[in-house]
Amino acid sequence: MCWAGRMMLGVFRVLLVFVHASAACEFGPFPYRATGIVCRMTKPAALLLNQETAQVIQAAFRNARFPNITGERSVRLLGKVAYGLTNIQVNDLSLEKSNVELKEENAIHIDIKNVTASFKGTLTYGYSGAWILKLFHSVDFEIESSIDLQLNIKLMCQEDQLVADASDCYLTFHKLTLHLQGDKEPGWLKQLFTDFISFTLKLVLKREVCKEINSLAQMLANFVLDLAANFVRDNDIIVDISLASDSVIKAGYLESHHKGLVLYKNYSNMFSDSVFSPSLLTESRMLYFWLSEPTLSSLASAAFLDGRLVLTIRGEKLQALFEMEDTEEQQKVVQMIFQGTSYNDSVAKVWSLARPEISLQPEGTVVKSLVAVEVSILPTGEESLVVLYMEKEITVTIQAAYAEKKLILQPLDSSVEFKVFKCTADPSGNDPSIQNFLRTMISVVGIPEVISSIESALTSLMNSKGLNLFDIINPEIITRKGYIIVQLDFSFPNHLLLNFLEKSL
């Protein structure tokens, strides 16, 4: 959640996720207790994003609106000399290198060396003295410049949301040379106007370029905020990513803390006993996400309330479930249950009867749920007939991974306890062959099939939010008691931000 802008854009992406809280946000004496989600980006990630600087600097110079510069000065023997620079535009721009530092005084410092830029426009000048008639001329001009640019981006919090302040901006000029009508040789006219306008021109360039950079910072912060908010929202299910506490900027990483409350219509979770501690995360990978058990459990509850925990199985998939073993006993049981009806004329429905219980443990995510299974057949020319109905309590441990842009959910230990059992082939419920077969089928094939469907649905959902556009490198999903840590390296999909700037500027 994301999406022209290289390092600066990357840093402004960070601005959304790694927020510094100002006095406008009060979090109380124990802010970590309300933390459901934590993001940490380390220095290697910031250095990677720093390679993407050039485009945003070019955009800032290109889109700055330079005002006309006018002035007047008394010159000995010439009287008063008036001048005006109009139609100032940036022609060429390049930069030598840039560097980023994470300051523990809660700022991101960006130092960009040797920005060379060429400005073009029109110079109008004239003289008016006691013995000289007023005479004005217009010539084209070009200004060659070499500039160092320093930015201190402060990340502030207002109403629990991000505000990016890049107004602490400095331009240092190493070169500012004026050429008139393409004449590269120094002359008295060029030297005269260079002396007149250089100081004023420096002030104007600094003001307008820094103003444009600050505007870009706010625009991109809003863009990334919207991107992240959309990533954790799907229809009526929303995850509140407003700030839960002050963010932290250290020399090695940026870290932000978010509430992670799940909102669904009239349902919302509340917790104030988060187990988060900064010591739980390291600095060996580029990016970390820490997710609390209450946040994940509440997401499961919202999915249940929204009617998403329902699966319908037909045809070949249904056949694969009931024909897991090619034995005479299995064929007999299947024939009894389906009464000779084809799988194409049958349907199985699986759904959760209650909110699943989620428990995060070192061995994986433990899911406990009361599940119903209903199998119906549709005899030709007759109404559908329920031939099997079960309610069972299932407990399964799942390990999660992410590879080749897909979420992988691997079920480990599982247990099944029947609560209700109704089968037209066994009205008394005393036929052990049917129940034993169904118990084995559920454990060996049924649970993996349901988890595979959830795996596919979650992958599709994440890809619809643009996760597959990112190059995620060696991701690890680590489960501990009460929380999950996702850690990874990445390469940045700058085309997302390029598209955004092209549409916005």
Side-chain angles (χ1 to χ4, degrees):
M1 66 67 88
C2 204
W3 252 10
R6 298 173 84 109
M7 150 62 186
M8 193 84 70
L9 295 181
V11 168
F12 295 144
R13 169 176 288 273
V14 176
L15 301 187
L16 165 66
V17 184
F18 306 97
V19 184
H20 168 62
S22 70
C25 299
E26 299 293 337
F27 297 112
F30 306 106
Y32 288 157
R33 294 176 60 183
T35 298
I37 299 174
V38 177
C39 299
R40 174 179 287 190
M41 176 173 281
T42 61
K43 184 65 179 289
L47 293 174
L48 173 67
L49 295 174
N50 187 51
Q51 299 173 12
E52 306 297 322
T53 308
Q55 296 295 330
V56 76
I57 297 301
Q58 290 175 351
F61 275 82
R62 186 175 62 249
N63 289 279
R65 298 295 179 259
F66 300 104
N68 296 336
I69 299 173
T70 59
E72 186 178 77
R73 185 171 178 177
S74 295
V75 178
R76 187 176 180 180
L77 301 177
L78 293 177
K80 291 183 178 181
V81 177
Y83 62 87
L85 279 72
T86 59
N87 302 321
I88 303 175
Q89 297 178 352
V90 178
N91 187 36
D92 297 312
L93 186 141
S94 64
L95 61 86
E96 182 178 301
K97 64 178 180 178
S98 66
N99 188 40
V100 60
E101 292 184 41
L102 308 178
K103 299 289 188 179
E104 296 202 11
E105 55 268 25
N106 292 313
I108 301 172
H109 177 75
I110 302 173
D111 188 12
I112 301 169
K113 294 292 188 182
N114 195 21
V115 180
T116 59
S118 172
F119 301 88
K120 291 187 175 182
T122 302
L123 169 66
T124 302
Y125 63 94
Y127 321 99
S128 57
W131 305 103
I132 303 176
L133 297 175
K134 292 183 179 180
L135 184 62
F136 289 92
H137 305 274
S138 292
V139 296
D140 293 332
F141 72 85
E142 180 181 358
I143 298 172
E144 294 179 356
S145 66
S146 177
I147 306 166
D148 287 349
L149 174 63
Q150 296 85 36
L151 295 170
N152 287 300
I153 304 172
K154 295 193 177 295
L155 313 179
M156 301 179 295
C157 175
Q158 291 182 1
E159 299 179 353
D160 293 344
Q161 298 296 338
L162 168 74
V163 174
D165 182 7
S167 59
D168 191 358
C169 170
Y170 298 93
L171 270 64
T172 302
F173 290 82
H174 299 297
K175 175 183 178 182
L176 193 69
T177 305
L178 175 68
H179 301 295
L180 300 179
Q181 294 181 320
D183 180 10
K184 304 297 182 181
E185 296 299 325
W188 73 270
L189 184 61
K190 183 178 73 173
Q191 186 61 49
L192 174 67
F193 285 112
T194 298
D195 292 342
F196 281 1
I197 68 177
S198 61
F199 178 75
T200 303
L201 182 60
K202 289 177 181 179
L203 292 179
V204 170
L205 292 178
K206 175 187 181 303
R207 182 180 70 242
E208 298 304 322
V209 170
C210 288
K211 182 173 70 175
E212 184 63 26
I213 289 175
N214 194 36
S215 176
L216 276 174
Q218 297 177 23
M219 180 194 309
L220 290 164
N222 291 335
F223 163 69
V224 178
L225 179 64
D226 292 342
L227 190 69
N230 177 65
F231 192 85
V232 293
R233 174 174 186 163
D234 187 57
N235 294 330
D236 292 329
I237 299 177
I238 303 169
V239 178
D240 180 4
I241 57 171
S242 57
L243 301 180
S245 69
D246 288 355
S247 294
V248 176
I249 300 182
K250 298 288 187 181
Y253 64 85
L254 300 141
E255 183 175 279
S256 67
H257 316 103
H258 307 268
K259 293 177 180 177
L261 302 177
V262 177
L263 311 175
Y264 173 76
K265 296 182 178 178
N266 294 328
Y267 166 82
S268 65
N269 65 324
M270 296 295 293
F271 62 90
S272 59
D273 55 353
S274 175
V275 297
F276 175 74
S277 168
S279 62
L280 298 176
L281 304 179
T282 67
E283 300 177 33
S284 61
R285 305 298 298 274
M286 287 184 176
L287 189 61
Y288 295 82
F289 295 100
W290 183 94
L291 307 172
S292 71
E293 181 178 291
T295 295
L296 293 178
S297 182
S298 297
L299 279 171
S301 294
F304 166 76
L305 294 172
D306 200 42
R308 301 192 185 198
L309 303 184
V310 179
L311 175 63
T312 301
I313 306 173
R314 304 174 185 270
E316 293 181 358
K317 286 192 174 182
L318 186 59
Q319 181 177 0
L321 284 177
F322 280 90
E323 295 185 0
M324 58 178 181
E325 297 178 354
D326 187 16
T327 64
E328 183 177 343
E329 182 179 359
Q330 172 243 290
Q331 293 174 7
K332 179 181 177 181
V333 171
V334 171
Q335 183 72 16
M336 291 170 62
I337 293 174
F338 286 89
Q339 302 177 15
T341 303
S342 166
Y343 291 111
N344 292 329
D345 296 323
S346 307
V347 61
K349 179 182 177 183
V350 184
W351 71 97
S352 183
L353 293 168
R355 300 179 186 183
E357 298 178 17
I358 305 291
S359 175
L360 300 179
Q361 302 295 333
E363 57 270 21
T365 301
V366 181
V367 181
K368 184 177 181 180
S369 181
L370 183 62
V371 175
V373 176
E374 181 181 273
V375 177
S376 301
I377 61 175
L378 302 101
T380 304
E382 300 179 25
E383 293 184 359
S384 63
L385 174 66
V386 176
V387 295
L388 177 65
Y389 177 82
M390 298 179 290
E391 292 180 7
K392 54 193 183 297
E393 188 173 81
I394 296 178
T395 303
V396 58
T397 301
I398 302 170
Q399 287 187 346
Y402 187 86
E404 298 180 354
K405 301 186 183 297
K406 294 180 180 179
L407 179 66
I408 301 170
L409 302 177
Q410 180 64 44
L412 302 178
D413 297 336
S414 64
S415 64
V416 179
E417 180 182 352
F418 285 102
K419 298 295 184 180
V420 176
F421 180 82
K422 297 177 183 180
C423 181
T424 56
D426 181 19
S428 64
N430 295 324
D431 188 335
S433 64
I434 293 179
Q435 290 202 24
N436 289 339
F437 166 77
L438 291 173
R439 190 184 303 274
T440 303
M441 183 269 290
I442 291 168
S443 299
V444 175
V445 184
I447 291 176
E449 175 64 28
V450 171
I451 291 177
S452 176
S453 298
I454 295 173
E455 171 186 284
S456 178
L458 289 176
T459 297
S460 295
L461 177 61
M462 291 187 297
N463 288 344
S464 73
K465 305 296 183 179
L467 183 63
N468 58 327
L469 300 177
F470 291 78
D471 293 325
I472 297 176
I473 303 168
N474 298 326
E476 297 179 84
I477 302 176
I478 303 169
T479 310
R480 295 289 183 262
K481 185 174 178 57
Y483 63 89
I484 282 180
I485 296 174
V486 181
Q487 55 188 38
L488 54 95
D489 299 322
F490 68 95
S491 60
F492 193 66
N494 57 32
H495 60 279
L496 294 175
L497 295 170
L498 285 168
N499 291 340
F500 167 72
L501 275 186
E502 289 173 357
K503 292 178 181 178
S504 302
L505 296 176

